Amino acid sequence: MRKRALALLTLISLGISPALINLPANAAPTFANYVTFLTDLRSKQIDFPTSDVPLEIQVQLSNPTMDVDTVYFTLQDSAGKEIDSDEAFYYSFDPPSKTVKISLTIYSFSIDKKSLPLSLNTKVSFTQESGKLSLTNSIPLNIKQPDVNVVCKQ
């Protein structure tokens, strides 16, 4: 509760009306209330990695109810094995909506053809005081299948 009060005071001091960003009290929070992907991952084609491939993702993060703790981004293979991860901490957000760059790497040594498809999984975790359950989202990545001439790990 103290965090929320401090956040509301910060909004007011910045000249932002809390009423403009608060969700209605009876509205169930959805993933889209907190995370918007500015990079279109569904249409972006990524070549099968023969070396490490950096993946830069622009994301708009919002904290309309001032009770988000972290947003965790995980790159996973088809078996659910974590390849890389990044996270954003909301306590440092000023103002409560911010565009951030998430940096992940598809490590060539960690995947083979059987690992596909890869997905970007995102989890929004709330403060314990909020009593809210985490929100999750998964986006499959469009990885181009390797050419016949590319030797894949067995």
Side-chain angles (χ1 to χ4, degrees), residues 71-77 80-87 102 104 118-123 137-139 141:
V71 179
Y72 194 65
F73 299 89
T74 308
L75 186 61
Q76 292 183 331
D77 68 10
K81 176 183 161 197
E82 185 176 302
I83 295 170
D84 198 11
S85 63
D86 198 357
E87 60 190 332
I102 304 302
L104 300 168
L118 301 182
S119 61
L120 175 66
N121 298 313
T122 309
K123 180 180 179 180
N137 184 47
S138 183
I139 299 174
L141 299 181

Side-chain angles (χ1 to χ4, degrees), residues 101-153:
K101 185 181 348 176
I102 304 302
S103 298
L104 300 168
T105 302
I106 302 174
Y107 294 104
S108 60
F109 66 84
S110 65
I111 67 167
D112 59 24
K113 190 174 177 180
K114 293 181 256 180
S115 304
L116 300 178
L118 301 182
S119 61
L120 175 66
N121 298 313
T122 309
K123 180 180 179 180
V124 178
S125 297
F126 296 94
T127 60
Q128 188 174 5
E129 299 84 30
S130 76
K132 293 180 182 176
L133 298 176
S134 297
L135 299 172
T136 59
N137 184 47
S138 183
I139 299 174
L141 299 181
N142 187 6
I143 307 281
K144 184 178 175 186
Q145 292 290 330
D147 294 329
V148 175
N149 298 334
V150 175
V151 177
C152 296
K153 296 179 276 231

Side-chain angles (χ1 to χ4, degrees), residues 18-39:
L20 295 176
I21 62 164
N22 276 337
L23 296 174
N26 60 352
T30 65
F31 185 83
N33 294 129
Y34 301 95
V35 180
T36 303
F37 288 93
L38 303 176
T39 302

Side-chain angles (χ1 to χ4, degrees), residues 31-32 34-44 56-62 73 97-102 120 122 137 139:
F31 185 83
Y34 301 95
V35 180
T36 303
F37 288 93
L38 303 176
T39 302
D40 184 6
L41 294 173
R42 294 185 191 279
S43 65
K44 180 178 182 170
E56 303 277 318
I57 304 164
Q58 293 282 341
V59 182
Q60 178 73 35
L61 300 176
S62 300
F73 299 89
S97 181
K98 182 176 189 176
T99 299
V100 297
K101 185 181 348 176
I102 304 302
L120 175 66
T122 309
N137 184 47
I139 299 174

